[in-house]
Amino acid sequence: MTRLTATARAIAAMTAAVALALATSCSPIPSADPTADGGHTIEQDTDMTTTIDIDIHGTTFTAQLENNATARTFLNLLPTTLTMDELNGNEKYHYLNSPLPSEPQRVGTIHTGDIMLYGNDCIVVFYQTFRTPYSYTRIGSITDPTQLAAALGSAAASVTFTPGHAA
């Protein structure tokens, strides 16, 4: 057997092994029969948008969550009320007792209504737009932050986060 033939056979064997591994690791294709799972309709909605409600001294805001592990883990902590401290005249923050998954990135510009994670345990709600060199993990953003600064005020604020509805 020539060296080229042995190499070609080895590549073919590895390709077959990879194809078999991929085929057995993929999810099965859902049945066209909606009762195939024992009488229950199978529903798959991968484009679901998750929202949360944020109550600040009686004013309620809605925020759309990011589709990431940080936002999903934060959602699992809800409902919760946090006493958020003031910082720099543009944000409120609260350190959690446990870390959240994080993938910090330099965001460049913070926008009014952004909800971010600083480090892996500090929830931040921003009420002014500004440029920043710092890195954050995005959790979500308030859909209409018009009255956010007024609701938060200039001192520490009690902020209640609750699960919203699926859009």
Side-chain angles (χ1 to χ4, degrees), residues 5 9 13 21 28-30 53 55 58 63 70-71 89 92 94 98 104 148 150 156-157 159:
T5 304
R9 286 186 180 168
I29 297 173
D53 293 326
D55 183 81
T70 308
K92 301 290 188 198
H94 178 87
S98 301
L148 183 60
V159 181

Side-chain angles (χ1 to χ4, degrees), residues 14-27:
M14 288 189 302
T15 302
V18 168
L20 179 62
L22 286 173
T24 59
S25 69
C26 292
S27 301

Side-chain angles (χ1 to χ4, degrees), residues 107-142:
V107 296
T109 300
I110 299 287
H111 298 279
T112 301
D114 281 349
I115 304 166
M116 307 269 206
L117 181 69
Y118 180 72
N120 65 2
D121 63 350
C122 186
I123 300 292
V124 185
V125 175
F126 293 94
Y127 60 90
Q128 283 191 359
T129 298
F130 63 96
R131 301 259 323 136
T132 182
Y134 294 106
S135 295
Y136 296 90
T137 303
R138 293 187 184 278
I139 294 175
S141 61
I142 295 172

Side-chain angles (χ1 to χ4, degrees), residues 62-135:
T62 299
Q64 182 174 335
L65 294 181
E66 295 287 322
N67 183 15
N68 63 32
T70 308
R72 286 187 293 276
T73 303
F74 182 66
L75 182 61
N76 288 333
L77 299 175
L78 307 186
T80 189
T81 299
L82 306 176
T83 299
M84 302 191 78
D85 294 315
E86 170 63 31
L87 184 64
N88 299 327
N90 58 21
E91 65 190 76
K92 301 290 188 198
Y93 71 94
H94 178 87
Y95 281 95
L96 300 171
N97 293 328
S98 301
L100 299 179
S102 64
E103 291 186 33
Q105 297 177 353
R106 290 186 64 169
V107 296
T109 300
I110 299 287
H111 298 279
T112 301
D114 281 349
I115 304 166
M116 307 269 206
L117 181 69
Y118 180 72
N120 65 2
D121 63 350
C122 186
I123 300 292
V124 185
V125 175
F126 293 94
Y127 60 90
Q128 283 191 359
T129 298
F130 63 96
R131 301 259 323 136
T132 182
Y134 294 106
S135 295

Side-chain angles (χ1 to χ4, degrees), residues 47-52 63-66 71-72 75 163-167:
D47 295 328
M48 184 179 291
T49 301
T50 302
T51 61
I52 59 173
Q64 182 174 335
L65 294 181
E66 295 287 322
R72 286 187 293 276
L75 182 61
H165 60 282

